[in-house]
Amino acid sequence: MMSGQLLLDAHLTQLSRALPGYRDSARRLGRWGAHLARILSDGGRLLAAGNGGSAAEAQHLTAELVGKLRDDRTPLSAIALTAETSSLTAIGNDYGFAEVFARQVRAHGRPGDVLLLMSTSGRSENLLAAADAGRYAGLTCWAFTGPVPNPLADACAEVLAVPSPEPQVVQELHLVSTHLLCSYVDQALSGLRPAGPGRPPGARDGSVPPPRPHNGRGPSTPRRLLSVLSGEEACS
């Protein structure tokens, strides 16, 4: 059994061996981020999915987009298909585990949206089915995987492949990729914002709209609500 220091050194050695090849593959993230920024700022959506640790990575990615990575901005539409447990269990029970993501892709995806599938092996049946559903529905399909060739890489338009046989290293560099992709999205969104006035408040350009009243209503809404309740609302 390895000592603690040997275990640490072995893991870091595996990680360092993967970095040169990863650096080459990760160059596409800037282009992906710019494309995703355009789609999301125009009202499109990102769908993400994976199994096990990759499911957590998918949720991490969508959380950074709906929330924020660093600087505040308008929230972006991103759904982790792994997170809605009622849908997952219902679909799995009625249609089988292979359909748990594909059926959600058909429900939530629209032409032009982006589907990002994460897998260390690139062989998960439910991700392959999701890729097929995404292509059929007109989504742009990307993948984070381990070494290529693998079936998921072949099923998607583009792949970021981590060249390591160690699943832990693959997942660690997928997390790096998640943070980089979100950074590139934010960078691209800042370039899409208009330099001067003329953009209506709340436009989907990545900027933060003016704050709303803390109760979420405009100033006339309470009066209108009272009128409706009293039957005095006039047609306009």
Side-chain angles (χ1 to χ4, degrees):
M1 185 175 180
M2 285 189 185
S3 69
Q5 185 62 45
L6 287 175
L7 191 62
L8 172 64
D9 291 344
H11 188 92
L12 293 179
T13 297
Q14 292 281 355
L15 182 59
S16 65
R17 286 175 179 168
L19 289 177
Y22 169 77
R23 182 186 294 271
D24 291 338
S25 188
R27 295 185 194 281
R28 74 192 67 234
L29 288 172
R31 179 166 46 79
W32 286 12
H35 177 80
L36 192 54
R38 288 192 298 271
I39 296 299
L40 298 179
S41 66
D42 198 35
R45 174 176 290 156
L46 172 72
L47 304 178
N51 294 293
S54 296
E57 302 263 14
Q59 290 175 229
H60 190 137
L61 170 61
T62 57
E64 302 285 21
L65 294 173
V66 176
K68 66 174 183 175
L69 183 66
R70 294 187 185 87
D71 300 325
D72 197 15
R73 52 156 167 71
T74 195
L76 303 171
S77 181
I79 299 175
L81 304 181
T82 59
E84 217 276 79
T85 55
S86 293
S87 290
L88 279 174
T89 54
I91 296 167
N93 186 62
D94 294 343
Y95 299 97
F97 191 65
E99 281 293 305
V100 293
F101 301 137
R103 192 166 180 85
Q104 293 186 77
V105 169
R106 290 191 288 271
H108 299 305
R110 300 294 181 267
D113 287 349
V114 175
L115 173 64
L116 179 54
L117 303 170
M118 303 182 182
S119 172
T120 58
S121 69
R123 301 181 185 281
S124 300
E125 186 179 359
N126 54 10
L127 296 179
L128 295 172
D132 288 343
R135 288 199 313 273
Y136 186 81
L139 281 69
T140 299
C141 298
W142 297 335
F144 287 175
T145 75
V148 289
N150 65 69
L152 185 59
D154 294 339
C156 292
E158 291 194 72
V159 59
L160 189 156
V162 176
S164 174
E166 293 294 327
Q168 294 174 17
V169 170
V170 174
Q171 285 186 339
E172 286 156 7
L173 291 177
H174 283 178
L175 178 57
V176 172
S177 302
T178 290
H179 287 153
L180 284 171
L181 180 59
C182 292
S183 292
Y184 283 125
V185 167
D186 284 356
Q187 183 181 68
L189 285 173
S190 68
L192 291 174
R193 295 171 193 164
R199 186 84 170 185
R204 290 178 295 202
D205 60 357
S207 58
V208 179
R212 302 177 67 182
H214 88 277
N215 63 3
R217 297 177 180 145
S220 65
T221 303
R223 290 193 294 273
R224 288 174 56 84
L225 181 59
L226 287 174
S227 297
V228 170
L229 293 175
S230 62
E232 300 172 0
E233 176 75 351
C235 297
S236 58

